[in-house]
Each structure stands twice: as structure tokens, then as C-alpha cells.
Amino acid sequence: MEDMGLSFADQSLSLNSAEDAKTIVSAIEKCRCLVFFNLQGNTLGIDAAKEIGHAIAKHGSLLKHALWQDMFTGRLKSEIPIVLEHLSAGLLTANVRLSELDLSNNAFGPIGMKGLVKLLNSPVCYELQTLRLMNNGLGISGAKMLAKALTDNYHASTKAGTPFNLKVLVAGRNRLENEGIIALSQFFSLVKTMEEITIPQNGIYCKGILALSKSLLQNPNLKVLDVQDNILTVLGAEALANVLPKLKNLKRLNIADCLIKSKGALAIAEALNVHESLENVDVSYNEINGESGVILTKALCDKINLKEYNINGNRFGIETIEIISNTLKDSNKDKTLGSFSGDEGECSSEEENENEEAEESSTDTEEDNISTSDADKTADIMKDMTVGEIKLTKNSTDDVSFEILVDQLMDIAGRYQNANDQVTLDKCFELYKTAYTNATKELKFVDLTNLLLVKHGLIKSEDKKFQLRKDVGRCLEVLKIAVENKNVIPEPSQCVLSFMLKKKYSVQ
């Protein structure tokens, strides 16, 4: 495709004025077949964008691939919508019909979406098949704007006789959270043509995964599903497992670092029995025990197209690792297996059962206290999907909700590695903030602080059966960092927690 477009990728050009844009404008004017236009790794200002937009308007009618990653470095957020509008104006005037738009690694946030919405709502995107928005800082509001724009595009393009058939959406690292993915799931259910959904590291919890899973039932041609580093838990894994048998064209499944645990892994293993086209499966860092790991491995042994299988970072131990390796070797799949360098060693079944039972007790185990109306919506989703035998139960007291939330927080904190593990810290910080926000609203501030002290072993529990977690050391490290960060835990609780932490470590 080298002779069918232009690439200025990674030239670190600072394009501010019309004069700065002359080189690119001249190249566009001379290009006889501008099918792709790559501006990745340069920085584009308003005046330069206006000139480039004019050039596209005159010479860009054949453009199909707008590859515009990382091109707003050093720009004010207020500039970005205007830049996008200038480029969009050029595309509209040239009567372009894009098939691919890539604006990844542009941290334009919700304000940048305003410029993008106009483009997505125009005929330019009626034939769009691939939309890449990785690491744009959209947030919930930006995600909702995106979902509405895509939905509006679908209705407008259908009315024009060219129905919108989006196939690929890449939107990882965007802080979509539950509300954002629920809005996008409504679009997925509408369009029914999705082949790839890649949404890693978005702070999505069980409720959002339930909505996504339901939407996948309307997209049987899905080939790639990547929800890495969100919090599915067992319930989310079972919801997804309920849908997987319908996705018989699935080639790549990434549910790494999603806290699906052993029961979730078993549900996924059973669901994958019907998949013949699987090429890549990643279930690493999910606190899966040895028995479930072996069963999951056996479920993949008949996949003739399997190329990569990552089950690292779970709780197997040397014996189970050897069984898994030999199982794949017997099926001539040993070359697909990744490293076991992050294996956490075998855990006791009692410890695991206690953790999983806490998670199964309710779907209110998310980052927020779900309101009654939200809980009813979640119940409706589950009823439609008939997920396993798990039923929604409403907690009888607010204390139960806080305990489950703290347990979930500590599940994440228990995976903390070192000072470079900012991803885990960020997740924990968000949960601490949510817990204290809810506690303040419900006048349970002291109760939450006491609960944290008990769970971290800083004061004794009145429950004689209470046992500290084996990973409480890591949880204490995260709590200590959270207390030292002035923006995470409110000051009154900071003082108490800080005092008790100092007392513990001074005794040691």
C-alpha cells in the first residue's frame, strides 16, 4: 500500500502555521491515489490543520484510512476539537468514505469528542469499519457521547440506504467504567456486526460486563474479545461464559487480570468446548487454582488453530505447572504455552472458597453502591441471560455492602508487586475513594474505618472465626501508600489509620 497514500509517521513535526503545513499540503497535491494518510507522531495545530483540510478537500476523495495517532502532543484541549473540525471539513468536501479511523493515544478527553462527534455523524463515516480510540481519556461522559454518535450514525446511514456496519472498536485505557460500557453495549446490540471489541484497563466491573455480555448475543461474528484488566469476578465470568458458545468464530479471547478466580475459569473452560477457531487465549493473573487450571487447559487441547496460551500468574505450584505442560505436550500444543514466571504458588482450597463465597453473595460487589433501580436493571439482565445458578440478592444492611467492597479492594491490593505497579495502586485508590464517599453519605464513616482496621489486622476482630488473609502484607503496603496520599482517604480516617500503621510497624 506504499504507493497508495502518504505517511509522515513519527517524524516529530511541529505543525503550527500554514507555512509549517506546506510540505504536507504539497505532498497531498502530488499524490495521485491518496488511499491512506498517516500523521502519527506529529503535533498538529489549528492553522496547519486548516491548510491540510483544504488540501484533502481538493485531492482526498479516495481516502479510506485516516491514521492520526498521537498528533496532539503539547496542544491545549480547546484546540483539539477545532483541529478535528478542520480535518473533518476537508473529508466532507471531498465526499470521502472512510473505512478506518485511528485517533489512538490522543488524550483529548470528552472535550475532544465534540469535534469527533461531528465527524462520526457525517456521511464520511457511513462506511466506517474500524474505529481505534486507544488511550484517549474519554471518561464516562466521552464514552456516552461516542455511543450516541455511533448510534446516530447507524440510524442516519440506514436511512441513506448504506447501513453502518462497524466491525472493530478499540477503546482501551479510556476510563469507560460501567456507565460507559453499558452505553456502548446498547450500540453493539443495535449494529450487530462487531468482529472485534478491545476494551482493556477501563475500570469496568461486573455490572458493565453483564451488559456487554448481553450485547454479544447480537454479534455472533465476533472474532476478538479483549477485556483485560477489568474486574469481571466470578459472576462476570459466568455471564461471559453463557454467551461464548454463541460466538463460534471467536479467535482471540483475553480475560487476563480480571479476577475471575477458579470458579470463573471453570465456567469459561466449559464454554470454550465448542470453539474450533480459537488462536489465542489469555487467562493470566486471575487467581485460578491448580485443578481449574488443568481443566481449562484440557478444554483447549483440541483447538487445532491454537497459537498462544497464557495462563501465567495464577496459583498453581510446581506440580500443576508440570501437569499443564505435559497435557499440552501430549496434544502437540506445548509451543503455544507462555511463561510461568509469575506463578503465585498453590493456595489452599479453604482460603479460595472463603473469598469466592463472599463474591457470589451479591452482584452489589462493585465499585459503587448500586441503587435499588440499578440493582433491578442488573437483575433483569441476568434473568434474560439465565446465568448459571447465581441470583441477585439485596444486602440486608449497608455494613454487608461495605464488607464486600473492602474484600474486593483487598483482592486487588493482594496482587500489588512494587512501587512501579501503578495500575494496581490506581484501582485501589479509586475503590478507597468510592467507599469513603458512600460511607460519608450513609453516615457510616467510623464503621468503614473500623472495618479497614480489622481486615488489615490492625485491631482485633470480635468475630472469633475471623482469619487474616495470607496476602494481608501486600494489602497493608497499599493501605500505607493510600494513607500517605493526601487525596485518597479523608483526613479524619487518615489520622486513625496512620496512627495504627505506625504502631504496628514500630512493634515489629
Side-chain angles (χ1 to χ4, degrees):
M1 205 162 86
E2 291 183 3
D3 59 343
M4 298 177 66
L6 296 172
S7 177
F8 294 88
D10 301 319
Q11 294 187 18
S12 300
L13 301 175
S14 184
L15 306 169
N16 300 305
S17 64
E19 183 69 23
D20 294 334
K22 277 188 174 180
T23 301
I24 292 176
V25 168
S26 175
I28 293 172
E29 291 172 346
K30 293 175 182 177
C31 185
R32 296 182 180 181
C33 190
L34 188 65
V35 174
F36 74 90
F37 183 28
N38 192 338
L39 280 176
Q40 173 184 332
N42 301 292
T43 177
L44 189 59
I46 293 173
D47 292 337
K50 188 174 183 179
E51 292 302 308
I52 293 171
H54 287 326
I56 291 173
K58 295 178 182 177
H59 307 279
S61 60
L62 299 176
L63 189 62
K64 291 292 182 185
H65 305 272
L67 310 176
W68 297 340
Q69 294 187 48
D70 187 21
M71 62 178 202
F72 295 122
T73 301
R75 300 294 171 184
L76 297 173
K77 287 189 175 181
S78 57
E79 292 181 84
I80 297 171
I82 303 173
V83 169
L84 290 173
E85 285 173 11
H86 284 316
L87 295 175
S88 299
L91 297 172
L92 278 164
T93 302
N95 198 30
V96 166
R97 292 292 186 271
L98 289 178
S99 64
E100 179 181 10
L101 176 60
D102 190 344
L103 284 165
S104 298
N105 299 317
N106 291 304
F108 49 60
I111 192 171
M113 274 301 302
K114 293 178 181 178
L116 183 56
V117 162
K118 292 181 180 179
L119 179 60
L120 291 173
N121 282 337
S122 72
V124 170
C125 291
Y126 281 2
E127 297 176 15
L128 191 68
Q129 294 190 356
T130 299
L131 178 59
R132 301 184 188 278
L133 296 171
M134 189 77 170
N135 191 30
N136 292 123
L138 298 182
I140 293 173
S141 59
K144 287 182 175 179
M145 291 166 66
L146 173 61
K148 185 179 186 304
L150 294 174
T151 301
D152 290 346
N153 182 328
Y154 175 83
H155 291 305
S157 60
T158 300
K159 190 175 181 180
T162 55
F164 186 31
N165 292 319
L166 188 70
K167 294 181 179 179
V168 176
L169 177 64
V170 177
R173 300 179 65 188
N174 269 303
R175 303 193 311 276
L176 301 180
E177 301 185 26
N178 283 344
E179 291 184 57
I181 194 58
I182 288 171
L184 285 168
S185 294
Q186 291 169 353
F187 165 72
F188 299 150
S189 295
L190 179 68
V191 73
K192 298 181 174 67
T193 56
M194 299 305 300
E195 294 183 5
E196 176 181 346
I197 298 174
T198 296
I199 48 171
Q201 296 182 20
N202 268 304
I204 300 168
Y205 284 70
C206 179
K207 183 180 170 189
I209 296 299
L210 287 168
L212 174 64
S213 298
K214 187 178 180 183
S215 75
L216 297 182
L217 290 170
Q218 305 298 321
N219 291 272
N221 293 321
L222 194 75
K223 296 177 181 177
V224 177
L225 179 61
D226 185 343
V227 293
Q228 178 183 3
D229 205 6
N230 293 291
I231 308 298
L232 273 68
T233 69
V234 174
L235 181 59
E238 292 191 335
L240 189 58
N242 191 69
V243 174
L244 286 175
K246 308 290 184 182
L247 309 177
K248 295 184 179 179
N249 294 316
L250 194 67
K251 292 186 176 181
R252 181 158 61 91
L253 176 65
N254 191 337
I255 49 175
D257 201 13
C258 286
L259 210 64
I260 68 169
K261 299 201 170 183
S262 302
K263 190 170 182 180
L266 289 175
I268 295 295
E270 184 176 354
L272 292 180
N273 279 324
V274 300
H275 291 77
E276 298 179 358
S277 55
L278 270 178
E279 296 179 1
N280 187 303
V281 177
D282 193 336
V283 289
S284 55
Y285 296 96
N286 269 305
E287 300 187 8
I288 301 169
N289 69 14
E291 181 182 358
S292 298
V294 171
I295 292 172
L296 180 58
T297 301
K298 288 179 178 178
L300 297 175
C301 285
D302 64 341
K303 312 305 178 192
I304 59 174
N305 296 314
L306 190 66
K307 297 176 181 176
E308 293 183 35
Y309 176 40
N310 188 357
I311 198 169
N312 186 28
N314 287 295
R315 297 179 169 182
F316 296 153
I318 297 174
E319 282 188 28
T320 299
I321 289 174
E322 188 173 347
I323 293 171
I324 289 173
S325 300
N326 289 335
T327 299
L328 289 169
K329 189 173 183 179
D330 291 342
S331 304
N332 294 318
K333 298 280 191 306
D334 49 309
K335 292 183 179 179
T336 68
L337 189 60
S339 164
F340 282 102
S341 59
D343 188 72
E344 296 185 356
E346 190 175 359
C347 69
S348 69
S349 58
E350 288 183 6
E351 175 193 1
E352 183 175 41
N353 288 338
E354 286 176 6
N355 289 339
E356 292 194 353
E357 282 172 9
E359 289 178 0
E360 290 173 19
S361 62
S362 172
T363 57
D364 291 345
T365 60
E366 299 177 40
E367 81 282 22
D368 54 349
N369 267 352
I370 303 175
S371 66
T372 301
S373 59
D374 284 339
D376 290 341
K377 290 176 185 175
T378 307
D380 288 340
I381 292 172
M382 291 182 65
K383 180 181 67 179
D384 291 343
M385 293 177 60
T386 61
V387 183
E389 298 178 352
I390 296 176
K391 296 180 180 178
L392 181 74
T393 58
K394 296 178 183 177
N395 294 318
S396 57
T397 67
D398 293 329
D399 294 334
V400 177
S401 294
F402 283 127
E403 183 160 3
I404 292 172
L405 182 58
V406 170
D407 283 340
Q408 191 175 57
L409 189 159
M410 293 179 75
D411 280 341
I412 298 170
R415 290 178 285 164
Y416 178 69
Q417 299 296 321
N418 51 49
N420 296 322
D421 190 2
Q422 193 60 44
V423 173
T424 299
L425 287 177
D426 288 344
K427 286 181 183 178
C428 292
F429 288 176
E430 286 304 312
L431 283 173
Y432 274 121
K433 290 176 184 176
T434 300
Y436 271 101
T437 298
N438 292 337
T440 302
K441 289 178 183 177
E442 298 170 19
L443 303 179
K444 298 282 184 178
F445 193 95
V446 175
D447 294 339
L448 175 58
T449 303
N450 285 339
L451 184 61
L452 287 170
L453 290 170
V454 169
K455 291 280 187 178
H456 286 82
L458 298 174
I459 61 175
K460 288 185 178 181
S461 171
E462 293 180 3
D463 182 1
K464 293 181 179 180
K465 294 182 180 179
F466 174 77
Q467 290 185 343
L468 285 175
R469 304 165 59 105
K470 289 188 177 181
D471 56 8
V472 72
R474 294 181 181 181
C475 297
L476 279 165
E477 286 185 56
V478 172
L479 177 62
K480 187 171 183 291
I481 295 168
V483 168
E484 291 170 352
N485 188 316
K486 302 300 181 184
N487 298 317
V488 177
I489 295 175
E491 187 175 354
S493 188
Q494 266 187 356
C495 295
V496 175
L497 292 169
S498 179
F499 174 79
M500 296 305 293
L501 282 165
K502 287 178 182 176
K503 184 177 177 181
K504 177 179 178 63
Y505 286 112
S506 64
V507 171
Q508 291 178 343

